[in-house]
Amino acid sequence: MHDDTAQPNRTATRPDATVADHVVAAAAARGAKRIWGVPGGGSSLDLIAAAAPAGLDFVLCRHEGSAAMMAIADAELTSAPGIVLTTKGPGLSNAANGVSCATLERTPLLLVTDGFTPAQTGWITHQVFDQRLATAAYVKAHARCEGDDPVAELEHLLDSATAHPRGAVHLDLTSAAAKRPARPCRRDPTPILPLPDLTQVRALLHGARRPVIVLGLEATEAAPEARRLAESLGCPVLVTYKAKGVIADAHPLHAGIFTGGTLEAQVVGAADLILLVGADPVEFILQPWRYTAPVAEVAARPYPVHYTPVAAGAYGPIAHIVAALADDAPLSRWTEAEIAGHRNAMRNALAWPAGGGGVAPPRIVQMVAEAAARAGRDPRATVDAGAHMFSATAFWPCSRPRDLLISNGLATMGFALPAGIAAALHDPARGAVAFTGDGGLMMCVAELATAVDHAARLVTVVFNDGALSLIDVKQQQRQLPSAGVRWGRADFAMVAEGFGARGFRAQDEAGLAAALDAAFAHDGPSLVDVQVDPAGYMQQLQAMRG
Ligand SMILES: Cc1ncc(C[n+]2csc(CCOP(=O)(O)OP(=O)(O)O)c2C)c(N)n1
């Protein structure tokens, strides 16, 4: 996860180094490049002052929840903990959705909030609530760095964020604590985990004729090994949304996406063994397990709550386990033609032909990929929650892990734009495309200004349908009267221009192609507001989830 040989940098080894210096130095030593947030007047100002000397950029965001989502995307791309700073009270409350998101995405994140000293809470009530209690429901650990060895407390906190299941931790840091002088502490190297006993998993694999592999979020760290195992078995591979690209979409064994719904039921139902690899059930939708074939599992840790009993599991260093299984995996009876048949059937079930007003979402996604290729670009994609998500995840081509970033543990709206900014800043040569609904965008639209501040090479594509379409479709499925799910269509191109980004609007395929070419030609943030033809959403949802 991080380089354990890395030493705290010069800032932290200075004799007058403070706790704030150590916070940024520890983050930098673990590979962090940026701190995201909205400061208050306390420790957040100490951290901002300490950031630049330690080589970290502070990115001023418009909302703390969005800052946390930027930190999540950053962490998923750097493999270092994401770092967020906020003020106390309202800053912490605003951050809650993004911080809980980190825990449910299994992404390490350090939230540093301003805090109150015990003496202050004796006479102050303004902005005061129990901050530890407030984050307790969604962080793994909490610290104040007020003890004798604050740096050890800090390192322990960061270790907790990066230990499986990874997630958010909270440093409640008063300015007084941030300013205390502190000495570095020695970090013990992370112990190398032993390979678990593979006998049972191996026996199941050797007894199976038609296994399938499901790759989940932990498999992003074992992509070459997972591909080698799949090729040894010659069997279909399905990926969760967060594992898109672990096996390339174009690979002949790639069969499609696994959500736990109906779309993949034909290919998974034809298997005599289901091998889950790093497939944290946090990504599966709310439907009971529908398969009778035995399940074997390889993961970093056993999951305390699961959808299915596991016949045999191997838990530990996932890349090593998968590599060991690949060494003697027997060739299955699947043919590539059968797998292609399943893959094509799944794709066809999600597409729909061009109809009346607007552009069909599967077409929008394909056209964005075509326009990026025309512009000689290879952007990462970020995807929001909503009906447009099915098309973005199915039709955006991925060939490497983290080519596509999505919230699929919390599955929150308002993720794609902030995550797209972080992806674009992480790798300006590739840049990013953010696919978002109009509802999700409105939850974080002010971050367009953050994208402008940093000249992010980000194209935001808004599926503008004047509705919370996913909920609209669910309402229709339940044959309820239409209420509470629609609103007017905003002009997001104009909104983008207002923030200083370029904005374009499109109502049909010809207009969309031209808008996308202009957006990709712009060397900074741009937004394409495309009118959606929602006619196929109902059938698409039915195909996905039954
Ligand atoms: C923060 C948050 N609020 C509510 C939801 C529930 N929800 C999931 S999808 C959705 C509709 C999204 O609408 P929009 O962003 O316009 O995308 P569309 O479905 O129209 O493609 C809602 C309300 C959620 N996932 N996250």
Side-chain angles (χ1 to χ4, degrees), residues 97 384-389 410-414 436-441 443 463 465-471 474 487 537:
N97 192 48
D384 222 70
H388 64 282
M389 168 187 78
L410 186 64
T412 181
M413 295 163 70
T436 177
D438 46 345
L441 179 63
M443 292 187 178
F463 293 67
D465 45 22
L468 298 167
S469 278
L470 185 58
I471 312 304
K474 289 181 181 179
W487 46 43
Y537 271 151

Side-chain angles (χ1 to χ4, degrees), residues 166-371:
R166 295 178 179 141
V169 295
H170 177 196
L171 175 56
D172 203 3
L173 190 67
T174 65
S175 192
K179 290 192 187 80
R180 285 170 70 208
R183 284 206 313 276
C185 79
R186 259 182 61 84
R187 272 182 69 206
D188 296 330
T190 308
I192 295 169
L193 295 174
L195 209 57
D197 180 5
L198 302 181
T199 319
Q200 284 189 313
V201 173
R202 215 174 239 142
L204 284 177
L205 270 183
H206 284 259
R209 299 285 168 268
R210 297 175 76 78
V212 299
I213 298 177
V214 177
L215 301 175
L217 61 87
E218 291 172 11
T220 49
E221 284 168 40
E225 295 83 4
R227 198 166 51 241
R228 197 157 67 74
L229 175 63
E231 287 168 356
S232 303
L233 290 166
C235 73
V237 183
L238 294 110
V239 294
T240 63
Y241 290 153
K242 287 182 80 79
K244 276 270 291 181
V246 173
I247 185 159
D249 293 0
H251 194 289
L253 298 175
H254 178 263
I257 287 172
F258 185 95
T259 64
T262 49
L263 186 66
E264 69 270 15
Q266 224 184 356
V267 60
V268 181
D272 60 0
L273 175 70
I274 301 167
L275 177 63
L276 303 178
V277 176
D280 189 319
V282 76
E283 281 203 83
F284 301 170
I285 61 167
L286 315 178
Q287 290 194 2
W289 194 254
R290 62 188 76 222
Y291 308 107
T292 51
V295 172
E297 180 167 78
V298 174
R301 52 153 190 146
Y303 304 110
V305 179
H306 213 320
Y307 283 64
T308 170
V310 172
Y315 302 99
I318 182 165
H320 290 104
I321 297 172
V322 175
L325 293 174
D327 285 342
D328 64 348
L331 192 63
S332 71
R333 302 230 172 121
W334 289 95
T335 66
E336 284 191 0
E338 282 176 300
I339 298 168
H342 283 297
R343 180 173 59 239
N344 294 336
M346 286 164 72
R347 275 177 77 91
N348 293 341
L350 296 181
W352 69 88
V359 187
R363 219 23 227 138
I364 296 175
V365 179
Q366 287 167 332
M367 289 183 68
V368 176
E370 289 160 12

